[in-house]
Amino acid sequence: MYGEGLALHTDKYQINMIYAHWMNGSHERKAVFEAYFRKLPFGNGYAVFAGLQRIVDYISKLRFTDRDINYLAKQEEQYDPVFLELLRKFSFKGTIYSVQEGALVFPNEPLIRVEGTILESQLIETALLNFMNFQTLIATKASRIKRVAENDILLEFGTRRAQEADAAIWGARAAYIAGFDATSNMLAGEIFDIPTKGTHAHSWVQIFDSELEAFEIYAKALPNQVSLLVDTFDTLQSGIPNAIKTAKSLEKIGKKLASIRLDSGDLAYLSIKARKMLDAAGLTDVKIVASNDLDENTMSNLKSQGAKIDTWGVGTQLITAADQPALGGVYKLVEREREGEMLPTIKISGNPEKVTSPGKKEVLRIISNEDGKAIADYVCLPHEEQARTGGKLRLFDPVHPYMKKTVNNYSVMSMLEPIFVGGEQVYTLPSLSQIRAYHQSQLDLFWPEYLRKLNPQIYRVNLSQTAWELKQKMLEEYMSVHED
């Protein structure tokens, strides 16, 4: 789970490519790759970057075991034993830059930059994208849900519907980064120190002779945190009245009913009725928890109907990112070594959105000094100093260059930080609470129109003039060579 034994968590073509490089003698040439995504998920106005801790764990412990080497030796490609010995001694010696977990990020800007030999930078592509794509997707979905239920309690309930154990555990962590308050997954709670919450199943009620007996036995066993599921038989005629009786029994021993949970039926209607019944019984502090295939759209609709729900248990729709189950992040070569010199390289495609921006790049977030809000992300080459000086800065849309904006009186936030330098980890991983706080500080940088769930304003991601001209120059050079 933490990186051991993951050297073969890669696509076979990665092994084949680095073997071919080794056969060619080019495996130690330097290369620079950048990871990013082209399109925001869920129609959202931003994404929330996550997955860095898992990437750091993976890189730190990336070794080929004897079992791995023996497996590779059996492949039909018949890799040379000398190459396999090279892998046996492998450890990552490259340099990695990344944005921080919890950062708000946008399309077509580098989120991770890898600098190293072709062998090591190519080898880690698959795992790096796997971790980044999944956790960023879940964190973004969780953040959308949090925007709808800003002041409510959010519980991650997705384990049983997640795509296997790793998805459940790391998905719970991603949701917590983006503002969820607890998880039902005990292993995620143990590993990451995430608060855990849970009620009971319908089967608990069914196994006893009566619903009231089930409630009272449960309350007696767990008197300090009693939450009762009230929809096993009849929510209004049975479940809530029996929960009220149990609450009164708890009061006699100095305890309180914490909440009831609704898991089926018309949640808006039932929660309104439940609130009235609880309040009439003097149980105004008893919370109402709702579950049942919730997502940000359902929750928004329930709120618009006046639902009296305090806590939301969100499972399947979150942990599977049901309305968009993949982020689509990519990992593209932007520089390569040729005769000892690092040169920019470009990928050209019949699909314009797949044409890459050549050259190693930085991402600078431009912040207005007047209101403290983000104006744009400025993607530039490392040697460019114009934006860092705080002087007059010209922004233009790389797709529509006529869309221009000039900014003054701004500060710059450098988004890419060194994580590994020469194979050594130089970045101290923050605690999960620090990541949550950083995520909130990132949200505070943006006006509400960029954060809204429906039809968000498009945030500017602008190439610098120099970076844009380099791209145009390389496109022109290619076209001039390949013209009919």
Side-chain angles (χ1 to χ4, degrees):
M1 184 172 295
Y2 294 102
E4 297 92 338
L6 290 179
L8 290 184
H9 183 46
T10 188
D11 293 305
K12 188 167 189 174
Y13 83 164
Q14 309 286 14
I15 301 294
N16 284 347
M17 283 191 291
I18 62 178
Y19 180 69
H21 273 298
W22 178 79
M23 290 289 289
N24 186 54
S26 53
H27 63 293
E28 292 188 343
R29 288 183 189 171
K30 302 295 183 183
V32 179
F33 286 83
E34 292 175 348
Y36 58 96
F37 61 88
R38 299 186 181 107
K39 185 178 180 181
L40 285 162
F42 316 115
N44 210 42
Y46 63 92
V48 180
F49 178 73
L52 181 58
Q53 179 173 320
R54 183 117 206 238
I55 291 168
V56 169
D57 289 340
Y58 163 74
I59 295 293
S60 299
K61 300 170 183 176
L62 182 54
R63 303 288 187 279
F64 285 86
T65 65
D66 289 343
R67 180 177 177 179
D68 296 334
I69 299 301
N70 291 337
Y71 177 74
L72 289 172
K74 298 175 184 177
Q75 300 300 299
E76 60 185 359
E77 285 80 2
Q78 297 184 344
Y79 304 118
D80 190 308
V82 178
F83 170 73
L84 298 181
E85 283 304 306
L86 175 68
L87 295 186
R88 191 191 300 273
K89 297 173 183 177
F90 172 84
S91 64
F92 183 82
K93 300 297 183 185
T95 294
I96 295 178
Y97 286 78
S98 176
V99 300
Q100 295 184 59
E101 287 196 279
L104 268 59
V105 293
F106 302 91
N108 300 309
E109 60 183 17
L111 308 182
I112 302 173
R113 188 173 77 226
V114 178
E115 306 173 18
T117 64
I118 290 175
L119 188 156
E120 61 193 352
S121 56
Q122 198 75 72
L123 174 66
I124 68 173
E125 172 185 357
T126 301
L128 184 149
L129 285 176
N130 178 211
F131 304 147
M132 180 193 86
N133 279 336
F134 174 71
Q135 293 192 48
T136 298
L137 186 73
I138 301 304
T140 305
K141 182 72 170 175
S143 189
R144 279 174 63 79
I145 293 168
K146 182 64 176 175
R147 301 283 69 72
V148 169
E150 196 77 44
N151 299 314
D152 301 339
I153 300 297
L154 290 172
L155 310 179
E156 185 280 310
F157 277 1
T159 295
R160 62 188 61 194
R161 304 286 175 75
Q163 318 293 8
E164 252 285 359
D166 272 11
I169 293 162
W170 291 94
R173 180 181 180 275
Y176 190 67
I177 285 173
F180 270 61
D181 298 283
T183 178
S184 65
N185 189 293
M186 296 297 285
L187 185 54
E190 179 190 27
I191 293 170
F192 303 122
D193 197 27
I194 300 172
T196 55
K197 295 287 184 182
T199 58
H200 61 75
H202 294 103
S203 61
W204 171 264
V205 176
Q206 291 173 274
I207 210 163
F208 293 95
D209 292 337
S210 74
E211 186 175 52
L212 182 59
E213 179 188 14
F215 284 177
E216 290 184 337
I217 290 174
Y218 188 80
K220 184 178 180 180
L222 297 160
N224 295 318
Q225 190 54 241
V226 184
S227 183
L228 300 174
L229 179 60
V230 295
D231 71 329
T232 303
F233 301 120
D234 188 309
T235 299
L236 299 180
Q237 299 300 317
S238 174
I240 296 174
N242 284 326
I244 291 171
K245 291 176 183 177
T246 304
K248 297 302 182 180
S249 297
L250 282 167
E251 287 177 349
K252 293 176 182 178
I253 60 172
K255 301 293 183 179
K256 291 184 176 182
L257 176 65
S259 63
I260 62 167
R261 178 160 71 98
L262 305 170
D263 188 53
S264 62
D266 186 331
L267 296 179
Y269 172 77
L270 291 175
S271 67
I272 293 168
K273 286 288 189 180
R275 184 74 273 158
K276 289 180 179 179
M277 294 169 71
L278 292 168
D279 289 351
L283 301 173
T284 56
D285 56 348
V286 173
K287 305 299 183 185
I288 298 176
V289 182
S291 51
N292 189 25
D293 272 349
L294 298 173
D295 65 5
E296 66 272 30
N297 300 311
T298 305
M299 290 163 62
S300 180
N301 289 338
L302 286 168
K303 281 181 169 290
S304 70
Q305 296 171 55
K308 301 297 183 181
I309 296 167
D310 308 289
T311 301
W312 308 83
V314 188
T316 305
Q317 302 299 315
L318 167 64
I319 205 67
T320 65
D323 46 342
Q324 185 178 325
L327 178 65
V330 295
Y331 184 87
K332 296 299 180 183
L333 181 68
V334 295
E335 277 190 6
R336 65 189 178 100
E337 182 183 6
R338 182 180 179 187
E339 298 177 355
E341 182 182 3
M342 295 302 293
L343 300 174
T345 183
I346 188 171
K347 173 185 177 289
I348 297 176
S349 171
N351 297 329
E353 69 275 9
K354 291 189 174 184
V355 176
T356 61
S357 295
K360 179 169 67 176
K361 294 175 287 298
E362 301 284 350
V363 181
L364 305 179
R365 186 150 292 167
I366 309 301
I367 311 294
S368 168
N369 288 334
E370 295 178 1
D371 52 37
K373 298 296 185 181
I375 299 171
D377 280 8
Y378 188 71
V379 181
C380 60
L381 305 180
H383 67 269
E384 295 185 65
E385 293 295 330
Q386 182 183 5
R388 293 182 176 88
T389 64
K392 187 175 181 180
L393 186 65
R394 182 168 175 262
L395 304 174
F396 70 96
D397 188 291
V399 178
H400 307 291
Y402 66 89
M403 297 175 64
K404 300 174 183 178
K405 180 181 180 70
T406 300
V407 294
N408 296 282
N409 191 23
Y410 61 88
S411 300
V412 172
M413 178 184 292
S414 182
M415 298 302 292
L416 290 171
E417 296 194 18
I419 310 299
F420 290 89
V421 176
E424 295 295 324
Q425 184 179 332
V426 298
Y427 178 75
T428 301
L429 288 167
S431 68
L432 209 47
S433 62
Q434 289 172 323
I435 295 171
R436 278 166 61 89
Y438 175 70
H439 173 60
Q440 184 58 54
S441 73
Q442 284 278 291
L443 289 168
D444 292 343
L445 287 175
F446 291 84
W447 294 106
E449 52 262 37
Y450 297 113
L451 306 179
R452 64 192 178 213
K453 180 172 70 74
L454 293 176
N455 301 315
Q457 179 68 23
I458 297 172
Y459 179 71
R460 281 178 170 266
V461 177
N462 293 160
L463 277 178
S464 70
Q465 184 81 31
T466 303
W468 184 80
E469 288 176 354
L470 173 63
K471 183 174 184 177
Q472 301 310 307
K473 176 175 175 289
M474 295 191 73
L475 285 169
E476 287 293 334
E477 289 175 350
Y478 176 84
M479 296 305 295
S480 65
V481 170
H482 293 85
E483 284 179 349
D484 293 334

